[in-house]
Amino acid sequence: MNTNFIKKFLYGDYGEIKAGGPSSAKKTEWPLWEIFIRSKQGLDHKHVGSLHAADAQMAIENARDVYTRRMEGVSIWVVESKNIHASNPDEAEALYDPANDKVYRHPTFYDLPDELKHM
Amino acid sequence: MHVHDLETTFQDKIDNEIRIEPKDWMPEKYRQTLIRQISQHAHSEIVGMLPEGNWISRAPSLRRKAILLAKVQDEAGHGLYLYSAAETLGISREEMYDQLHTGKAKYSSIFNYPTLTWADVGAIGWLVDGAAIMNQVPLCRTSYGPYARAMVRVCKEESFHQRQGFEALLHLSRGTEDQKKMCQDAIDRWWWPSVMMFGPSDDESPNTALSMKWRIKRFTNDELRQKFVDVCAEQVKILGMTLPDPDLKWNEEKGHYDFGKINWEEFWNVVSGNGPCNKQRLDTRKKAWENGAWVREAATAHAEKRKAKEAVQAA
Ligand SMILES: [Fe+2]
Ligand SMILES: [Fe+2]
């Protein structure tokens, strides 16, 4: 398999900047941060986007201004993008396929009489 | 796998409405087209703050000032969502700024027109944000994931922009004779540039076919423009004003409004830098970027210092 022409640009969304494509970013550019927001107590933090900031404190403050102007959140997580490691979409098949043939993991696999209640 | 297979797989995904994500294989031209479109879009949001920002300090009431401030702040946010989306394609933020500041990248020509009176703020909200919404709503389903997600966020915020503009015009249209005149004058000046916002007509935009095939775009420029004209021709009646087009007429057969010829010469003139405010807008952006340099440097220095201190404490 010739993968030479598969260019990868691992910026933004899924981090790993250092492993990424051509970067013309000068040293002066603030690092990139991925922003996760909990919209309501009881819910998970969800990825909402990214932004640049000099440090974590500033990333949180900017995230408040950029992503929660309409009360979209009650809690913010920031993670520097380069610290996020992602699975490779080219390996998706091998990675997720084994789950396909294990239908017995689903409750609908089991054939039980209709009289059986509360199960 | 050969390039040919990769392209087939890619197009299959597109045809099946499966979004393309940053790490997926994509044709180089797709990536380039997106970078150009998304960054141009981001630049437009950022430069778009300038004409309206002009009126923040002179808004006629505290209510209007608060609304305008919130709207302009939203536009800054839109620029940031879009820059981030473009960055996932492998271009850096500084590179994009550089392209804007050197005039290599374009932004929407509409922002090269001046805002002469308060009524212009209303006309921009109604017409310019209105045209933007027409364009942006289908982009919420565009094939590139990060772009589509950014647009969902943008669209949620846009609707208040248009409504506040229409409301401001509505107040003027029910005001004194002078206010009515101001309202009509602003509509007269902003109408045609807004109609041009949809870009060159379909037979003049050679990239449309590919963009449609890749589902970056879902409607052609002319389709969106027609939709916009149809909607505005009705809305203007509520204002008791008119649109400056003697050829604007309902066409029963087509079920659409006919409208007059667009002055494409003016359009290309403004695109190529000869609009009334091109130089002023770009100069303002550049100055803001240069004047902010010391802040960026200071923040970096502060962050480094703090990191060093934490390292010492941890040791
Ligand atoms: Fe916007
Ligand atoms: Fe807007």
Side-chain angles (χ1 to χ4, degrees):
Chain A
M1 186 165 128
N2 177 7
T3 51
N4 278 344
F5 44 77
I6 304 180
K7 256 195 214 151
K8 286 217 174 65
F9 296 96
L10 310 176
Y11 273 78
D13 250 9
Y14 303 104
E16 293 183 86
I17 282 203
K18 277 181 193 144
S23 169
S24 66
K26 294 156 208 155
K27 285 250 158 52
T28 56
E29 189 166 276
W30 290 339
L32 192 65
W33 300 75
E34 300 302 320
I35 312 302
F36 300 81
I37 295 202
R38 185 203 297 285
S39 59
K40 215 170 90 183
Q41 288 297 113
L43 296 181
D44 290 325
H45 285 78
K46 198 171 154 238
H47 184 242
V48 293
S50 48
L51 52 76
H52 290 272
D55 57 22
Q57 184 62 36
M58 188 195 262
I60 289 175
E61 282 160 10
N62 288 358
R64 181 203 56 196
D65 290 345
V66 179
Y67 292 107
T68 67
R69 286 197 301 285
R70 286 173 177 77
M71 299 188 297
E72 290 96 334
V74 293
S75 163
I76 300 173
W77 284 355
V78 300
V79 182
E80 212 177 320
S81 306
K82 68 174 184 198
N83 293 325
I84 291 191
H85 302 270
S87 64
N88 185 345
D90 298 331
E91 291 160 9
E93 232 170 283
L95 216 55
Y96 306 115
D97 238 15
N100 266 344
D101 57 4
K102 295 186 177 62
V103 276
Y104 45 83
R105 281 192 168 137
H106 298 279
T108 47
F109 176 76
Y110 300 92
D111 201 9
L112 296 174
D114 290 346
E115 307 91 82
L116 187 68
K117 302 286 182 215
H118 305 299
M119 192 182 282
Chain B
M1 245 199 277
H2 295 292
V3 178
H4 174 75
D5 298 331
L6 290 167
E7 257 167 23
T8 310
T9 313
F10 171 81
Q11 190 61 46
D12 276 353
K13 275 195 211 161
I14 303 258
D15 294 342
N16 288 308
E17 297 290 341
I18 295 171
R19 297 280 176 271
I20 306 301
E21 295 294 343
K23 291 178 83 175
D24 295 341
W25 186 89
M26 59 187 85
E28 186 57 18
K29 181 94 194 290
Y30 176 82
R31 203 175 65 81
Q32 291 301 342
T33 304
L34 276 171
I35 287 181
R36 187 170 32 86
Q37 180 170 332
I38 301 172
S39 65
Q40 246 175 46
H41 194 159
H43 298 326
S44 302
E45 301 283 353
I46 297 299
V47 177
M49 291 192 279
L50 300 175
E52 290 181 291
N54 184 32
W55 282 91
I56 290 175
S57 61
R58 291 175 289 158
S61 68
L62 192 56
R63 177 177 183 270
R64 292 285 170 204
K65 191 199 283 258
I67 291 169
L68 188 55
L69 260 175
K71 180 190 188 273
V72 171
Q73 196 192 4
D74 273 355
E75 306 300 5
H78 298 175
L80 291 177
Y81 307 152
L82 288 160
Y83 280 132
S84 305
E87 280 172 275
T88 65
L89 291 156
I91 185 168
S92 74
R93 181 75 63 91
E94 289 203 345
E95 216 173 330
M96 286 187 274
Y97 286 163
D98 215 52
Q99 290 176 348
L100 174 67
H101 296 157
T102 54
K104 207 180 135 204
K106 301 278 178 232
Y107 53 87
S108 181
S109 280
I110 192 88
F111 303 118
N112 288 320
Y113 291 87
T115 40
L116 303 179
T117 73
W118 165 252
D120 288 22
V121 171
I124 288 179
W126 174 39
L127 297 173
V128 177
D129 287 86
I133 291 170
M134 245 355 136
N135 248 323
Q136 288 166 352
V137 168
L139 286 175
C140 294
R141 295 186 298 127
T142 195
S143 58
Y144 186 58
Y147 190 23
R149 292 192 286 274
M151 291 319 300
V152 168
R153 205 168 279 285
V154 168
C155 284
K156 254 192 229 157
E157 302 180 354
E158 281 295 347
S159 110
F160 117 72
H161 296 182
Q162 195 187 17
R163 291 172 70 96
Q164 65 82 34
F166 195 85
E167 190 203 55
L169 290 184
L170 195 62
H171 276 256
L172 291 173
S173 75
R174 291 169 178 170
T176 64
E177 274 317 303
D178 279 349
Q179 286 173 326
K180 284 182 194 167
K181 236 188 249 164
M182 207 165 99
C183 180
Q184 183 63 60
D185 169 64
I187 294 172
D188 289 349
R189 280 181 291 108
W190 288 94
W191 174 248
W192 285 109
S194 302
V195 171
M196 291 184 213
M197 270 176 78
F198 297 92
S201 66
D202 296 346
D203 37 318
E204 298 282 322
S205 29
N207 297 326
T208 295
L210 201 53
S211 283
M212 300 276 281
K213 183 183 160 209
W214 284 337
R215 302 215 182 147
I216 295 173
K217 273 171 108 158
R218 287 175 180 268
F219 297 97
T220 69
N221 295 352
D222 286 334
E223 285 169 342
L224 292 168
R225 182 168 14 244
Q226 182 67 59
K227 229 170 154 181
F228 177 70
V229 172
D230 289 346
V231 167
C232 293
E234 291 300 319
Q235 291 175 341
V236 74
K237 293 177 188 167
I238 297 170
L239 294 173
M241 300 281 144
T242 56
L243 296 175
D245 180 359
D247 297 323
L248 188 73
K249 220 178 75 206
W250 177 251
N251 183 325
E252 190 66 59
E253 205 180 303
K254 282 198 240 159
H256 290 293
Y257 274 89
D258 288 331
F259 56 97
K261 244 176 94 63
I262 293 167
N263 184 350
W264 290 117
E265 201 185 309
E266 175 183 324
F267 175 80
W268 290 116
N269 240 323
V270 182
V271 169
S272 57
N274 299 317
C277 301
N278 292 55
K279 189 176 160 359
Q280 187 190 331
R281 300 284 185 247
L282 214 53
D283 284 350
T284 308
R285 275 314 308 154
K286 277 193 277 194
K287 214 172 105 195
W289 179 246
E290 282 156 17
N291 287 348
W294 71 269
V295 180
R296 294 191 296 276
E297 281 159 28
T300 305
H302 178 69
E304 271 162 16
K305 228 183 194 169
R306 194 145 70 177
K307 213 190 261 170
K309 217 196 247 161
E310 275 162 19
V312 170
Q313 274 167 1

